[in-house]
Amino acid sequence: MFGKIKNTLTVKETKWRIFFALALTTFAVLLTISFFSFFFTWENDQSELLGRSTFEVLFSNNTSEDPAYDEEPVLQIQNPAGKLGALLAKKCIHDWFGIGAFAFIFICLYIAGRLLFESVRKTEAKRYLFVAVSLMILSSLLFGFFANNALDGNLGGCFGYYFCYGLLRNVLGGFVTGLLLIFTTFIYVIFTFKNVLPAMSSLFEKWKAKRNSQKQTENTATEIIEEKQEEPHVQQIGEQIIEQQEVETYNSPIQPEPPVAEQEDIEPSVAEEEPEVEESDEETITEETPIEEQTEDIQPTVISEEENEDVAEPEEIVEEDTNEEPIEEAEEEIIQPVVIEPVKKEDNSLTINNTLGEAPKNTDDIKVVMQDYDPKADLSKFKQPDTTLLKIYDNDKQAVEVDQDEIISNKNLIKKTLSDFKINIDKISATVGPTITLYEIVPASGTKISRIQNLEKDIMMSLSALGIRIIAPIPGKGSVGIEVPNKKRQVVSMYSVLNSQAFKESTMELPVALGKTITNEVYMFDLAKTPHLLVAGATGQGKSVGLNAIVTSLLYKKHPSQLKFVLVDPKMVEFSIYKGLKNHYMAQYPGEEDIIIVDCMKVQQTLKSLVQEMEDRYKLLMKAHCRNIIEYNDKFIHRHLLPTEGHKYLSYIVIIIDEFGDFIMQAGKEIETPIARIAQKARAVGMHLILATQRPSVNIITGIIKANVPSRMAFKTASGIDSKTILDAPGAEGLVGRGDLLISTNGAKPERVQCAFVDTPEVERIVKFIEEQQSYGEPMQLPEVKDTNSGGDMAQTNSSEKGGGKLDPIFEEASQFIVASGSGSTSLIQRKFEVGYNRAGRIMDQMERHGIVGPYNGSKARELKTDILGLDQILNDLRAKGLLE
């Protein structure tokens, strides 16, 4: 009894909290409309409200028949919130705090949120309210001083104007008042927002480091240039010895001609010693660069034979006077072929350069420029599947045919049905889709929409339709929609969807082309932004085809280096056609043979491995200071992150689990827990989850899963309850099947889509096309995890059943609980210890075998065979035998 009274009081308190929260939210909306409208209507409203009291404004009746009232001018308030809104805006903005009065809206919404959720600590609540009030006052002072003429002082309000511009300015002067306000604002920001000062310090350090780096680079470049200018480059061709002071470019196919001034300044070099003559082949001089091209770069000095003999006497060397002859004539003489005699040289003599334009072999000046990393380089010749692999239907070759008679007939029947119930409509129009036609109705003024919604069954009966769906109202339109299936339905082929311009030009990270909408447009969504998807519906309504459409669209868009799949199929037949993608698009737990996971035990192991992969990826992102996989991969591609530091390119991982409900029934929490962890955190590291089930009940799709999987896709369901479980709204029970679905991404309003049909032969052709191309040789390996021997219902072997192995780890605790409670049942163990039904049943069988409980007794609880003292003796015996730890 007392429990009931307590619950009743709690419900009443909750109602009051909701009431006050809604009241504050409504008031906040009123303030928002009033405040924003004030800056457009303040001139008119101020003049209307001037000299009137609040009572006169709100309760004056100028429409009375009394002539005394007619003499007063009628109030012409332009604020959309009316007189009350105009008064509130005048008081809060003009009379009080100006633009800072917007803080009142935040305060109202914050208090309303606290009443509803109570999720903020008291210290945080005080801080939020303090920041709101202090910002309101500080902004009023700043605008009152620096913007006192803007909007006639309304930006700062009367408080800011009179206190700051009037009082402080008269006492301290304008300059000192401005400095005081700036200093106060700076101190307030530093002490209120603690992250501002570290951020400013970090920016300054980065700027300083960048400045030092640029300065160091400039100094290094200057030193290199000076070294090149000081170092002579000596070249010898046969008998010609040339000393060149500067060489500006290397390995250039066309060398620029030296200026005239440089040609005049070239002096002949004097050989210090005559090398001993040694026979050498003329082939030592390469023919890569002709003599004509060599002489264009530099102007050699010609030495006569007599001078060559007495080269030790520098006074006998004949200099070529380039000043006496024109430049053109000098070039012509140089271009003439020169006969080069063999030259003998000693080991310490100058070597002959094979190419005049060869660069010096100085590795200090060489800068290694690393190219961007290409993740597709290993499979650079890989080709995406072509749309020719898909089947083309008749309706893909020609436009959609519209049955006008059917449309006109349905319009007349809808009008007649509504008129029978005395509902008048002003207009009705039809939008024809591939499988559904949308009839938009504009009801007459004064008609309640709920009356049309209540006639859903009557309209369906009059149209003789398989099922209809009423949208009241259509979002963004002032009309009611009635979706009616076409009598002649057309197939939406995968070819028409993937061959569309929208899919080809898509820039999404993980584009999924699902099908076509009612308006015959391609429906696409980005799985990377979804980020997880729940697919549900009755048996045979198109779930498997929908999953195939998702996989196919991803295969047509992503390279094997960018995408990996983890496919789980307890039915063993749905995903078997994708085995050929093993070495291209698949990820696998080490040591597994089958790439498609079908066993519950292996599912648990793989999910734990995926959780470990998620944690490892988050460590890489933390090390790289990135927030998501896009930023991380971009840094890795541009070589800001190196493999030597432990980094690697991260591909997207899409986990698809078909018949998710079957695993929940077998393993319960052992499956639900890792799935919930992946759904909570894996989006930022590029891991996305798709769960499919034909049993959308609350014990399969739990609250934890629904909270972390915001996107839902519902095919036809058996009842409205199942539809509410999936979409949190009815409507899926009215679908017509065969791929007809409702999809809601990230909590948006459900949209009706006809799923694209992709048949098994089409998928087989796509898989074969990919399988025949070059692959990585093995699938992507997921990280190994340790088996804790408590990882699920399937962790125990049958050895314990024969008495030769250890009992379940929770056998002792479960036995003590059963004996203490006085009732032995499998469901009791399942609920208490949060394990699956199979594991709980095994524990109960072990208790029966060791004499703790009696045999199975139908729906009744099992009979206890011992008490607490007897149980202790049984447990001690089991420990002695080594069956119990």
Side-chain angles (χ1 to χ4, degrees):
M1 176 178 179
F2 291 102
K4 293 182 178 179
I5 295 175
K6 185 176 180 180
N7 291 336
T8 305
L9 292 174
T10 304
V11 171
K12 288 184 178 179
E13 293 174 359
T14 303
K15 289 181 178 179
W16 279 111
R17 287 202 305 271
I18 294 174
F19 170 75
F20 285 120
L22 292 177
L24 286 172
T25 304
T26 304
F27 185 67
V29 172
L30 176 64
L31 290 179
T32 304
I33 297 173
S34 304
F35 288 178
F36 278 105
S37 303
F38 175 80
F39 293 100
F40 301 97
T41 64
W42 67 274
E43 294 182 351
N44 176 77
D45 295 349
Q46 291 285 79
S47 62
E48 293 291 332
L49 298 176
L50 187 64
R52 297 176 184 269
S53 65
T54 304
F55 182 83
E56 291 176 349
V57 173
L58 294 177
F59 302 103
S60 62
N61 186 8
N62 294 48
T63 61
S64 175
E65 296 178 357
D66 191 346
Y69 286 93
D70 296 339
E71 295 176 358
E72 299 179 4
V74 179
L75 288 178
Q76 300 292 334
I77 300 298
Q78 295 182 0
N79 196 302
K83 298 178 181 179
L84 180 60
L87 281 173
L88 289 174
K90 177 180 179 299
K91 286 290 183 184
C92 296
I93 297 179
H94 179 269
D95 296 347
W96 292 348
F97 300 104
I99 201 171
F102 280 87
F104 287 122
I105 301 173
F106 170 79
I107 292 172
C108 292
L109 293 176
Y110 177 76
I111 296 175
R114 283 294 308 277
L115 289 173
L116 284 176
F117 304 107
E118 298 182 355
S119 59
V120 182
R121 297 191 298 270
K122 291 184 178 180
T123 55
E124 294 181 353
K126 293 179 180 178
R127 183 175 181 273
Y128 292 155
L129 294 177
F130 167 76
V131 171
V133 175
S134 57
L135 280 177
M136 178 173 62
I137 297 174
L138 183 61
S139 63
S140 177
L141 295 175
L142 291 173
F143 283 113
F145 180 79
F146 293 103
N148 57 353
N149 293 325
L151 291 178
D152 288 353
N154 288 328
L155 292 180
C158 292
F159 171 78
Y161 178 81
Y162 289 111
F163 184 83
C164 188
Y165 191 80
L167 179 62
L168 293 180
R169 186 184 179 89
N170 293 332
V171 175
L172 303 176
F175 181 74
V176 177
T177 302
L179 288 179
L180 179 62
L181 288 175
I182 294 174
F183 177 76
T184 303
T185 305
F186 184 73
I187 296 299
Y188 171 80
V189 170
I190 290 177
F191 284 95
T192 304
F193 307 101
K194 298 181 180 179
N195 295 330
V196 173
L197 195 59
M200 294 174 61
S201 177
S202 176
L203 289 175
F204 177 75
E205 292 295 335
K206 290 181 180 180
W207 175 82
K208 188 176 179 181
K210 185 177 180 180
R211 184 72 179 272
N212 294 336
S213 177
Q214 292 178 351
K215 189 174 181 180
Q216 185 177 2
T217 304
E218 293 175 357
N219 294 337
T220 305
T222 305
E223 293 176 0
I224 293 173
I225 293 173
E226 291 177 356
E227 290 177 0
K228 288 182 179 181
Q229 292 176 349
E230 294 175 0
E231 180 181 3
H233 185 62
V234 181
Q235 299 176 343
Q236 179 178 356
I237 302 178
E239 300 176 356
Q240 302 175 4
I241 302 175
I242 305 164
E243 183 177 7
Q244 184 178 354
Q245 297 294 336
E246 295 181 359
V247 179
E248 297 180 355
T249 58
Y250 301 103
N251 295 330
S252 176
I254 300 177
Q255 300 286 351
E257 296 182 2
V260 178
E262 295 180 2
Q263 295 177 359
E264 295 176 355
D265 294 340
I266 294 178
E267 296 180 359
S269 58
V270 179
E272 296 179 358
E273 298 179 357
E274 180 180 1
E276 296 181 6
V277 178
E278 184 179 11
E279 293 184 359
S280 60
D281 298 333
E282 296 181 1
E283 297 177 356
T284 56
I285 302 176
T286 62
E287 298 178 1
E288 295 181 2
T289 307
I291 299 177
E292 289 82 3
E293 294 181 6
Q294 296 174 2
T295 53
E296 290 181 359
D297 297 336
I298 53 176
Q299 195 151 358
T301 303
V302 180
I303 304 175
S304 61
E305 296 180 357
E306 296 178 356
E307 293 169 349
N308 191 24
E309 295 176 355
D310 301 327
V311 69
E313 300 178 3
E315 63 274 3
E316 296 181 0
I317 297 177
V318 179
E319 296 182 3
E320 183 181 5
D321 189 5
T322 57
N323 296 329
E324 298 178 358
E325 297 179 2
I327 298 175
E328 296 180 356
E329 296 179 359
E331 290 180 352
E332 290 178 358
E333 292 180 1
I334 295 171
I335 292 174
Q336 293 176 359
V338 179
V339 178
I340 301 176
E341 297 180 356
V343 179
K344 292 186 178 181
K345 60 179 181 180
E346 295 179 354
D347 294 339
N348 58 351
S349 62
L350 295 174
T351 58
I352 299 175
N353 291 330
N354 293 336
T355 305
L356 286 176
E358 185 176 357
K361 297 180 180 180
N362 188 3
T363 57
D364 296 337
D365 298 342
I366 299 176
K367 294 184 179 180
V368 180
V369 179
M370 300 179 67
Q371 296 181 352
D372 290 347
Y373 172 76
D374 185 10
K376 303 179 182 180
D378 293 337
L379 298 181
S380 58
K381 297 182 180 180
F382 181 84
K383 295 181 180 180
Q384 304 293 147
D386 191 73
T387 53
T388 56
L389 301 172
L390 301 172
K391 184 178 179 181
I392 302 176
Y393 292 84
D394 294 337
N395 55 313
D396 295 331
K397 303 177 183 178
Q398 56 187 2
V400 179
E401 297 181 359
V402 179
D403 191 349
Q404 296 292 343
D405 296 336
E406 180 184 350
I407 294 175
I408 295 173
S409 175
N410 288 341
K411 282 184 179 181
N412 295 332
L413 290 173
I414 292 173
K415 286 182 180 180
K416 184 178 182 302
T417 304
L418 294 177
S419 62
D420 291 343
F421 291 92
K422 298 181 180 179
I423 297 177
N424 298 324
I425 59 175
D426 293 338
K427 182 182 178 182
I428 182 170
S429 59
T431 303
V432 181
T435 58
I436 302 294
T437 300
L438 175 64
Y439 295 90
E440 294 187 32
I441 297 172
V442 179
S445 59
T447 303
K448 290 185 177 181
I449 296 178
S450 59
R451 295 183 61 193
I452 301 177
Q453 284 181 307
N454 296 333
L455 298 176
E456 180 177 350
K457 300 295 183 183
D458 299 281
I459 297 174
M460 185 172 65
M461 185 180 67
S462 64
L463 295 175
S464 301
L466 296 175
I468 68 169
R469 176 170 171 260
I470 296 180
I471 310 173
I474 298 176
K477 296 183 179 180
S479 58
V480 177
I482 301 177
E483 295 176 348
V484 181
N486 298 334
K487 293 181 179 179
K488 184 180 179 182
R489 302 179 62 180
Q490 297 180 352
V491 177
V492 177
S493 64
M494 203 67 195
Y495 171 84
S496 63
V497 174
L498 299 184
N499 201 39
S500 64
Q501 205 69 17
F503 181 78
K504 290 181 178 179
E505 299 177 355
S506 173
T507 58
M508 299 178 180
E509 288 294 321
L510 294 176
V512 175
L514 193 59
K516 291 188 178 181
T517 62
I518 295 176
T519 57
N520 213 30
E521 296 177 355
V522 175
Y523 181 85
M524 294 178 57
F525 67 91
D526 191 355
L527 185 60
K529 296 181 179 179
T530 303
H532 309 292
L533 182 65
L534 176 62
V535 183
T539 304
Q541 302 304 320
K543 294 190 307 301
S544 298
V545 176
L547 296 178
N548 288 335
I550 293 174
V551 175
T552 302
S553 57
L554 292 175
L555 292 177
Y556 267 78
K557 206 68 176 178
K558 306 304 290 184
H559 190 269
S561 62
Q562 300 171 332
L563 176 66
K564 302 296 178 183
F565 288 102
V566 175
L567 302 181
V568 181
D569 179 20
K571 293 189 291 188
M572 308 181 188
V573 294
E574 293 295 341
F575 291 152
S576 59
I577 53 179
Y578 295 111
K579 289 184 178 180
L581 304 177
K582 178 178 181 179
N583 296 333
H584 291 86
Y585 283 98
M586 290 299 186
Q588 187 182 41
Y589 187 80
E592 296 292 337
E593 296 181 359
D594 296 331
I595 197 65
I596 308 299
I597 307 170
V598 297
D599 184 67
C600 183
M601 181 62 185
K602 295 180 180 179
V603 171
Q604 299 175 41
Q605 197 174 35
T606 304
L607 288 176
K608 291 179 182 179
S609 178
L610 288 169
V611 172
Q612 183 62 43
E613 173 72 14
M614 176 185 69
E615 298 293 345
D616 294 344
R617 290 189 172 202
Y618 266 110
K619 291 178 183 178
L620 291 177
L621 261 66
M622 180 181 65
K623 186 178 179 181
H625 304 289
C626 298
R627 296 181 60 187
N628 53 54
I629 187 175
I630 299 176
E631 296 179 5
Y632 180 87
N633 283 341
D634 183 69
K635 283 187 176 182
F636 187 84
I637 289 174
H638 292 90
R639 303 289 186 177
H640 300 306
L641 304 174
L642 300 178
T644 55
E645 301 173 355
H647 294 287
K648 61 181 180 179
Y649 183 82
L650 301 180
S651 57
Y652 286 97
I653 299 178
V654 177
I655 308 141
I656 304 178
I657 303 178
D658 196 8
E659 293 302 336
F660 167 69
D662 183 65
F663 293 118
I664 290 292
M665 291 178 62
Q666 293 186 53
K669 291 287 183 181
E670 308 298 335
I671 292 288
E672 183 181 354
T673 301
I675 285 178
R677 291 200 62 195
I678 293 172
Q680 286 172 344
K681 297 173 55 180
R683 174 190 62 84
V685 293
M687 299 172 64
H688 303 280
L689 192 63
I690 299 177
L691 303 176
T693 180
Q694 62 178 345
R695 298 183 57 191
S697 55
V698 292
N699 60 333
I700 300 297
I701 306 175
T702 60
I704 297 176
I705 295 176
K706 289 185 64 177
N708 295 289
V709 183
S711 300
R712 321 281 172 76
M713 188 164 67
F715 291 85
K716 181 178 176 59
T717 58
S719 64
I721 297 176
D722 292 343
S723 177
K724 290 181 180 179
T725 305
I726 305 168
L727 301 172
D728 296 328
E733 73 280 3
L735 300 176
V736 295
R738 296 180 61 188
D740 191 17
L741 63 92
L742 291 173
I743 183 169
S744 171
T745 55
N746 293 321
K749 195 172 183 66
E751 187 171 356
R752 194 164 187 173
V753 177
Q754 177 62 41
C755 182
F757 179 70
V758 52
D759 203 359
T760 303
E762 298 177 70
V763 179
E764 290 177 347
R765 287 195 295 269
I766 295 172
V767 173
K768 185 178 180 181
F769 176 82
I770 296 174
E771 187 179 5
E772 290 176 350
Q773 300 189 57
Q774 182 186 2
S775 67
Y776 292 107
E778 62 177 1
M780 172 185 171
Q781 298 297 310
L782 297 174
E784 294 187 17
V785 293
K786 295 181 180 180
D787 188 6
T788 59
N789 199 28
S790 59
D793 303 336
M794 308 301 292
Q796 304 299 324
T797 62
N798 292 331
S799 60
S800 62
E801 302 293 335
K802 300 177 182 178
K806 291 184 179 181
L807 299 174
D808 194 280
I810 64 171
F811 175 81
E812 181 178 356
E813 188 178 358
S815 301
Q816 293 173 351
F817 172 74
I818 289 296
V819 173
S821 62
S823 176
S825 66
T826 302
S827 59
L828 187 62
I829 297 177
Q830 186 181 3
R831 293 194 303 270
K832 175 63 179 177
F833 297 97
E834 296 182 348
V835 297
Y837 182 81
N838 291 349
R839 187 178 179 186
R842 248 190 335 269
I843 295 172
M844 187 60 65
D845 292 339
Q846 293 170 359
M847 291 182 187
E848 178 186 352
R849 187 168 57 255
H850 294 290
I852 299 174
V853 296
Y856 179 71
N857 194 17
S859 60
K860 297 180 181 180
R862 298 201 184 202
E863 180 184 359
L864 295 179
K865 294 293 186 180
T866 185
D867 55 5
I868 295 295
L869 297 177
L871 177 63
D872 292 338
Q873 183 63 36
I874 293 173
L875 296 177
N876 290 331
D877 294 342
L878 293 175
R879 291 191 188 94
K881 294 179 181 179
L883 298 179
L884 190 65
E885 295 180 356

